[in-house]
Amino acid sequence: LCRLKSDENDSFSNWWLDKAAMTNIILSFQKRKMLKIRYCSNLTARYQSTSSVLSRSHLTNDEIRAHRLRIFNNERQIQMERIRRVEKIEVDVHDPIESKKLLMNKNLSTPYHCAQHLSSILVDRSCLALIDDQHIWDMNRPLDRDCTLKFLHFMEDQCEEQNRAYWRTCSFIIGYILETAFKSNYNVELCSFPPPQFQFGSFAYDAKLNLGDWKPNRDDLRCLSIQAYKLRDLDLRFECLNINESVAQEMFAYDRFKLAQIPHMLRLISPNDNQTRLTVYKMGDCHVDITRGPLVSSTKQIGRFEFSSIHNIDVPSYNEQMQRIQALSIPNQLHLHYWTFDYLLERAKKLNRASIPTLAKLKTSENKTENSQ
């Protein structure tokens, strides 16, 4: 920046002035350089933040589903690794086909595994289990204590719990179909589904389809229905998992409606639990969603499945207009004349008057929402 001459005409004072000038120039240059670096750093930070928001907004439905599945599988692996020692439990099975006492693995063996030890008929037809004559249990949920076990199916005289679980499962399936039936550039935002209420003649899922003023015709609804039949052939099992709030927020980080629901749906899963948790279910390696359950054993138990209608609904809690997607189905164990089913399907086209999604924390009952699920 400055070059000192060493000839005899230069005096010490001139040299000192030149040195002071040089120092000021250097300091000024460094100051400008630091300001430029700081400005560039702020600009980079702002750009990275904007880029992150854009990348989230441009995720496809498939990428969002893959993210949920990845978090579910990671958390499942972590919980499995916490089981340091395999303990044995005694499961006393009471069933007309075969009754037997089984020695199973605590927190690992499920009612489905118990059925595998007894009969293929129990494996195929059992949709739920009854533990100690009072607790409804998922077929794929690990047993955590000594207990009595009874298998439940759809042909029993008293099967209200089975029917509720079946319609709840069908609502769960609607969520998967909505995320996979449309092209990836259509961002379908799932919200929740109301609890099954038979008096309305249909089960439903509430979502924001973001399809403009699309009005589905009969062929469109039929195309959606075909997706359900494909699931039946895949025989996908339903697996539940209890997760804490931080894992839930990570799992549903790209689902704004579900992210808002999490604080309202946390609960103590068991009396021995000192931390509130959220229950989520996974269908095969395809789909993860929030529901308290229980759900049926497998998609193989799905019978005739038809989408009936799609209605617009106003949802004040989210300040949004959403769509209520409705459908009707019967289990594969039940045989119904096509004319009777079509008659019920016409009734299922009417708007389902079940409670709309809400963020209010409500008590779980069948005349109110299970906090939407």
Side-chain angles (χ1 to χ4, degrees):
L1 295 176
C2 182
R3 184 176 182 180
L4 297 177
K5 296 180 179 180
S6 57
D7 58 286
E8 56 190 8
N9 296 326
D10 289 337
S11 65
F12 176 77
S13 59
N14 289 335
W15 176 85
W16 177 254
L17 289 175
D18 289 341
K19 184 177 180 181
M22 179 182 68
T23 303
N24 289 334
I25 292 173
I26 292 173
L27 291 176
S28 177
F29 175 78
Q30 289 179 337
K31 185 175 181 181
R32 287 198 303 270
K33 184 177 181 181
M34 290 301 298
L35 289 174
K36 186 175 181 180
I37 292 174
R38 191 175 303 166
Y39 173 77
C40 291
S41 299
N42 293 337
L43 181 62
T44 302
R46 288 199 300 271
Y47 174 78
Q48 289 176 341
S49 176
T50 305
S51 176
S52 176
V53 173
L54 288 176
S55 64
R56 291 186 181 187
S57 65
H58 282 74
L59 286 176
T60 65
N61 291 327
D62 290 339
E63 291 170 333
I64 293 174
R65 286 193 305 108
H67 169 78
R68 296 192 214 113
L69 287 165
R70 183 171 58 254
I71 301 301
F72 185 101
N73 293 331
N74 290 344
E75 178 63 19
R76 178 63 176 160
Q77 183 63 30
I78 291 173
Q79 294 188 15
M80 291 293 290
E81 291 174 353
R82 292 174 185 162
I83 304 175
R84 299 296 184 182
R85 184 181 63 179
V86 177
E87 300 180 25
K88 295 297 182 179
I89 56 174
E90 187 178 272
V91 180
D92 191 4
V93 180
H94 298 281
D95 192 86
I97 293 180
E98 186 173 0
S99 295
K100 185 179 292 186
K101 289 186 178 181
L102 301 173
L103 201 61
M104 307 300 289
N105 297 322
K106 182 179 180 180
N107 294 323
L108 294 173
S109 300
T110 67
Y112 180 80
H113 295 142
C114 295
Q116 287 180 314
H117 283 288
L118 300 175
S119 169
S120 60
I121 297 177
L122 291 176
V123 172
D124 293 336
R125 78 175 188 178
S126 300
C127 60
L128 294 174
L130 182 64
I131 304 299
D132 295 331
D133 294 324
Q134 56 181 338
H135 302 294
I136 300 296
W137 207 266
D138 294 276
M139 285 293 293
N140 302 296
R141 180 181 174 186
L143 299 166
D144 57 1
R145 61 185 182 275
D146 296 335
C147 61
T148 61
L149 172 63
K150 180 183 178 183
F151 298 106
L152 304 179
H153 56 86
F154 295 108
M155 299 302 291
E156 299 188 55
D157 294 333
Q158 301 294 328
C159 60
E160 183 175 352
E161 289 296 335
Q162 295 93 304
N163 290 334
R164 291 189 187 282
Y166 181 78
W167 272 26
R168 188 182 296 112
T169 304
C170 291
S171 291
F172 185 99
I173 289 174
I174 289 179
Y176 167 76
I177 294 174
L178 293 177
E179 284 195 325
T180 57
F182 303 99
K183 292 183 178 180
S184 59
N185 57 315
Y186 292 102
N187 183 24
V188 176
E189 298 179 273
L190 300 182
C191 183
S192 58
F193 54 88
Q197 300 183 40
F198 306 125
Q199 66 269 30
F200 298 124
S202 65
F203 49 85
Y205 203 115
D206 299 326
K208 191 172 181 63
L209 298 181
N210 295 313
L211 296 175
D213 56 355
W214 175 61
K215 301 293 183 183
N217 56 35
R218 183 177 178 179
D219 291 336
D220 295 330
L221 296 174
R222 182 58 184 166
C223 288
L224 293 175
S225 303
I226 292 173
Q227 305 306 312
Y229 290 109
K230 292 180 180 179
L231 290 177
R232 180 182 63 185
D233 297 334
L234 293 176
D235 189 16
L236 303 176
R237 312 206 69 77
F238 294 94
E239 178 185 356
C240 70
L241 187 68
N242 297 320
I243 58 178
N244 60 35
E245 183 174 8
S246 61
V247 175
Q249 289 176 343
E250 183 181 6
M251 182 179 293
F252 297 99
Y254 304 123
D255 302 89
R256 59 182 178 124
F257 297 135
K258 295 186 182 295
L259 202 60
Q261 297 165 15
I262 290 173
H264 303 275
M265 299 189 69
L266 295 168
R267 62 193 176 104
L268 294 175
I269 303 299
S270 67
N272 299 327
D273 203 347
N274 57 3
Q275 184 182 23
T276 55
R277 299 181 184 276
L278 183 74
T279 303
V280 296
Y281 278 75
K282 182 180 74 164
M283 181 181 69
D285 287 320
C286 299
H287 185 58
V288 174
D289 206 346
I290 302 173
T291 177
R292 293 183 178 180
L295 304 184
V296 301
S297 178
S298 166
T299 57
K300 186 179 181 180
Q301 297 173 337
I302 301 297
R304 185 174 176 183
F305 194 116
E306 298 288 341
F307 281 77
S308 59
S309 58
I310 298 178
H311 298 276
N312 292 328
I313 58 172
D314 293 322
V315 186
S317 289
Y318 297 93
N319 195 28
E320 295 275 0
Q321 184 183 71
M322 298 184 189
Q323 287 70 47
R324 172 157 287 182
I325 299 89
Q326 300 175 192
L328 179 67
S329 179
I330 58 174
N332 67 344
Q333 296 177 23
L334 300 181
H335 301 284
L336 192 64
H337 193 276
Y338 75 92
W339 184 92
T340 306
F341 187 91
D342 290 344
Y343 176 82
L344 296 175
L345 188 61
E346 284 297 319
R347 180 171 178 262
K349 293 179 180 180
K350 299 178 181 179
L351 175 63
N352 188 314
R353 297 291 180 180
S355 52
I356 62 174
T358 177
L359 294 177
K361 195 170 184 178
L362 301 177
K363 296 180 179 179
T364 303
S365 62
E366 291 304 333
N367 62 341
K368 294 182 180 180
T369 179
E370 298 176 4
N371 210 338
S372 297
Q373 294 177 339

